[in-house]
Amino acid sequence: MKLAKNIIVLITLVFILSCKYNEDKKVIQKNIREVPVKKTETLLKKNNQGSEDLKIDCSQLVLSLIQKSNFKNPFKENLKIEIIDNNGVNMKLRLFDANDKSENTVGWIVFDAENMRLLDITNDDKNPEKLKFDKIIWNKIIACLFNNDRSFCFDENEKVSQNEDCKKIIEDMDNIEECLFKNTNLKDVYNKLVEEHGVNDSEFLSKVLPKSSEIIAVNQKGIMNIEYKVMNNTKVEIIMNYQGGITIIELQKINNNVKQIITYSAD
């Protein structure tokens, strides 16, 4: 009889311990499941918020670049922007008035990272207006939206030349950019034109100013060929022949200065 009681007590203890073990196991499993999920959700929220903040910061940089440029628009001080496309080498921007709930388009800008240009295409996308802008802000945008590709960046230590006098002229169907560079020579002005992308499609120009007249076949981006007319040591004419137009670059040495005239003509 005593043995039977001991067996019953033992079975009862085993049952109680088993129940407690199962309860503890459930609590542990619950903690294992719940704690990381909460932490992960928190991290995801923080990361998503960080990503959104980054997008906002990048857009603000682009907006600042436009507002500090010589872009002319009646809504310039109250603009909002929309990045329509960013293909890794340039991006297209739609501009609208921040106070307009309908968000009607008031301008278009091309951020040409590859050629390091900011172009206003609001009135004519085939003959864009090249804008002057803050190069430091430009470099920040490259870091923000173009993976900090240094080939798209300006040298921030480069001093802005005070020896330039430029103006724009419109004659019939021609857009003319005329500049006078002081205390320089043909070679340096040409190098500046190529390196700073001072003319549309400058990447197709010869890296070095030819010493004699020649014609270079291109057959890309609508350019059939580029003709160099080296008249003497004081004058060079460069003709970029397009399927739908022509661009003429004239460089002329005048005393210690060089006059540069770029004429964009459509057929």
Side-chain angles (χ1 to χ4, degrees):
M1 187 70 177
K2 187 176 181 180
L3 179 61
K5 286 183 179 180
N6 289 337
I7 291 172
I8 292 171
V9 170
L10 182 61
I11 292 172
T12 302
L13 286 172
V14 170
F15 178 76
I16 292 171
L17 290 172
S18 176
C19 290
K20 189 174 188 309
Y21 170 77
N22 288 332
E23 287 298 320
D24 290 344
K25 185 177 179 181
K26 288 179 181 179
V27 171
I28 292 170
Q29 288 176 334
K30 183 179 180 182
N31 289 338
I32 290 172
R33 286 195 302 270
E34 289 183 355
V35 173
V37 169
K38 288 180 180 178
K39 288 183 178 179
T40 302
E41 288 176 350
T42 302
L43 286 172
L44 284 173
K45 286 179 181 178
K46 286 183 178 179
N47 288 338
N48 288 337
Q49 184 62 45
S51 178
E52 289 301 317
D53 290 344
L54 181 61
K55 288 179 182 178
I56 293 171
D57 289 344
C58 293
S59 295
Q60 286 299 323
L61 283 172
V62 176
L63 184 58
S64 178
L65 183 78
I66 295 171
Q67 289 178 329
K68 291 183 179 180
S69 74
N70 62 333
F71 174 61
K72 295 179 181 178
N73 190 289
F75 304 99
K76 182 176 180 179
E77 300 305 319
N78 201 38
L79 286 174
K80 289 188 73 174
I81 65 167
E82 178 185 6
I83 299 175
I84 298 298
D85 181 45
N86 182 349
N87 60 14
V89 293
N90 56 60
M91 61 183 176
K92 190 174 184 180
L93 310 169
R94 184 177 76 88
L95 312 180
F96 54 95
D97 180 9
N99 292 327
D100 181 7
K101 294 182 179 180
S102 300
E103 296 188 350
N104 293 310
T105 302
V106 298
W108 291 94
I109 295 287
V110 171
F111 185 99
D112 186 359
E114 184 178 27
N115 295 307
M116 301 163 75
R117 301 178 302 176
L118 190 67
L119 305 174
D120 176 9
I121 61 169
T122 304
N123 298 318
D124 189 349
D125 60 349
K126 292 183 179 179
N127 291 294
E129 181 179 353
K130 190 169 61 176
L131 302 175
K132 294 181 180 180
F133 52 86
D134 188 317
K135 294 179 180 179
I136 294 177
I137 299 177
W138 172 283
N139 288 352
K140 290 180 180 179
I141 294 170
I142 296 300
C144 199
L145 294 172
F146 292 86
N147 297 318
N148 202 26
D149 188 330
R150 303 307 296 174
S151 67
F152 298 157
C153 289
F154 289 95
D155 180 1
E156 294 181 7
N157 295 319
E158 180 184 359
K159 294 183 179 179
V160 178
S161 174
Q162 300 298 320
N163 295 323
E164 298 179 17
D165 182 14
C166 299
K167 61 181 178 180
K168 291 191 176 185
I169 305 167
I170 298 177
E171 292 183 358
D172 297 327
M173 297 295 289
D174 295 345
N175 287 297
I176 303 170
E177 297 175 4
E178 185 177 307
C179 291
L180 182 67
F181 298 94
K182 300 175 183 178
N183 302 314
T184 187
N185 55 65
L186 291 178
K187 180 182 177 182
D188 287 347
V189 171
Y190 178 81
N191 290 343
K192 177 182 174 67
L193 180 75
V194 174
E195 292 170 4
E196 297 186 6
H197 306 284
V199 65
N200 293 347
D201 301 317
S202 60
E203 65 269 27
F204 296 106
L205 292 173
S206 174
K207 301 303 179 186
V208 179
L209 181 64
K211 294 182 179 180
S212 58
S213 299
E214 62 177 303
I215 298 176
I216 300 174
V218 177
N219 297 317
Q220 294 185 59
K221 288 184 69 175
I223 308 172
M224 295 180 291
N225 58 58
I226 299 176
E227 183 177 357
Y228 290 84
K229 293 183 178 180
V230 182
M231 300 171 188
N232 47 51
N233 293 329
T234 61
K235 189 173 182 180
V236 176
E237 185 175 277
I238 304 164
I239 304 171
M240 304 174 74
N241 291 303
Y242 290 80
Q243 292 176 351
I246 188 172
T247 297
I248 301 174
I249 305 164
E250 299 174 74
L251 302 177
Q252 184 173 4
K253 186 88 163 62
I254 304 173
N255 298 323
N256 292 326
N257 307 323
V258 173
K259 188 175 185 179
Q260 172 185 284
I261 302 175
I262 302 175
T263 304
Y264 297 97
S265 299
D267 284 348

